[in-house]
């Protein structure tokens, strides 16, 4: 079951290796890879957190506000982008067996898309995040962005 402490592992500083498709909807498009740094702060005694990721390669930053709904025992993940100043629709879900899956609806390149975020391989020293889009209501998915998080040298995990 999910709890208000599911994202406690994520508090602190991270090095990030990003891989993203050159076309988010084309499963045959190429990948680009670039580094980033991220920092996450807890709020509400663990029931919420916020992180900021700095991606100099893209000339952009992003922020995520994560909120745990104690009634539904689900998280909402709310992403904002510095270049657009836009807050995107949330993805909602939970952790089960050490893996978090979160789903929502959005638009990309003029098309309605189902969005999936997955958090996996979670530990105090690392984690993997991936994003996938579906244009057929979740029948098929194109994984279009992954982030591999690791602690900078000498930085303790939480």
């Amino acid at each position: 079951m999910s709890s208000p402490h599911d994202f406690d592992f994520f508090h602190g500083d991270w090095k990030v290796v990003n891989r993203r498709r050159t076309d988010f909807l084309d499963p045959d498009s190429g990948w680009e890879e670039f580094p980033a740094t991220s920092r996450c702060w807890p709020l509400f005694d663990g029931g919420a957190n916020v992180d900021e990721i700095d991606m100099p390669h893209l000339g952009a930053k992003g922020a995520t506000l994560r909120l745990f709904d104690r009634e539904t025992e689900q998280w909402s993940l709310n992403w904002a982008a510095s270049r657009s100043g836009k807050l995107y629709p949330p993805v909602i879900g939970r952790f089960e067996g050490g893996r978090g899956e979160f789903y929502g609806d959005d638009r990309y390149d003029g098309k309605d898309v189902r969005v999936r975020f997955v958090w996996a391989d979670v530990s105090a020293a690392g984690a993997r995040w991936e994003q996938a889009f579906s244009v057929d209501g979740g029948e098929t998915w194109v994984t279009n962005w992954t982030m591999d998080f690791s602690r900078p040298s000498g930085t303790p995990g939480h």
Side-chain angles (χ1 to χ4, degrees):
M1 285 300 257
S2 268
S3 83
H5 297 287
D6 289 333
F7 282 100
D8 284 3
F9 75 91
F10 201 49
H11 303 158
D13 295 327
W14 296 93
K15 291 189 313 183
V16 187
V17 176
N18 290 270
R19 289 187 73 234
R20 72 176 193 166
R21 288 201 181 274
T22 54
D23 180 334
F24 279 13
L25 299 177
D26 180 358
D28 297 321
S29 68
W31 291 90
E32 67 172 330
E33 186 172 307
F34 55 93
T37 56
S38 178
R39 174 174 283 169
C40 180
W41 301 268
L43 303 168
F44 305 160
D45 299 320
N49 65 59
V50 65
D51 76 71
E52 181 181 44
I53 186 166
D54 184 6
M55 300 171 285
H57 172 78
L58 300 180
K61 294 184 180 189
T64 305
L65 171 64
R66 296 175 191 83
L67 298 166
F68 185 74
D69 183 325
R70 292 176 189 275
E71 188 174 302
T72 64
E73 296 184 335
Q74 291 187 319
W75 286 90
S76 64
L77 283 54
N78 305 271
W79 168 256
S82 67
R83 287 200 305 202
S84 68
K86 180 178 176 181
L87 179 64
Y88 290 84
V91 293
I92 297 171
R94 64 174 36 121
F95 277 85
E96 291 183 21
R99 175 183 167 94
E101 291 192 19
F102 308 88
Y103 296 88
D105 296 303
D106 203 347
R107 288 188 62 74
Y108 179 79
D109 203 22
K111 295 180 174 84
D112 290 332
V113 294
R114 186 85 174 133
V115 179
R116 178 181 68 201
F117 289 1
V118 173
W119 280 96
D121 303 325
V122 168
S123 74
R128 180 178 181 86
W129 171 88
E130 66 180 51
Q131 172 182 274
F133 286 176
S134 174
V135 294
D136 58 12
E139 293 294 318
T140 61
W141 294 92
V142 175
T143 298
N144 54 37
W145 198 318
T146 65
M147 293 183 188
D148 289 304
F149 292 83
S150 61
R151 295 284 181 190
S153 289
T155 304
H158 290 274

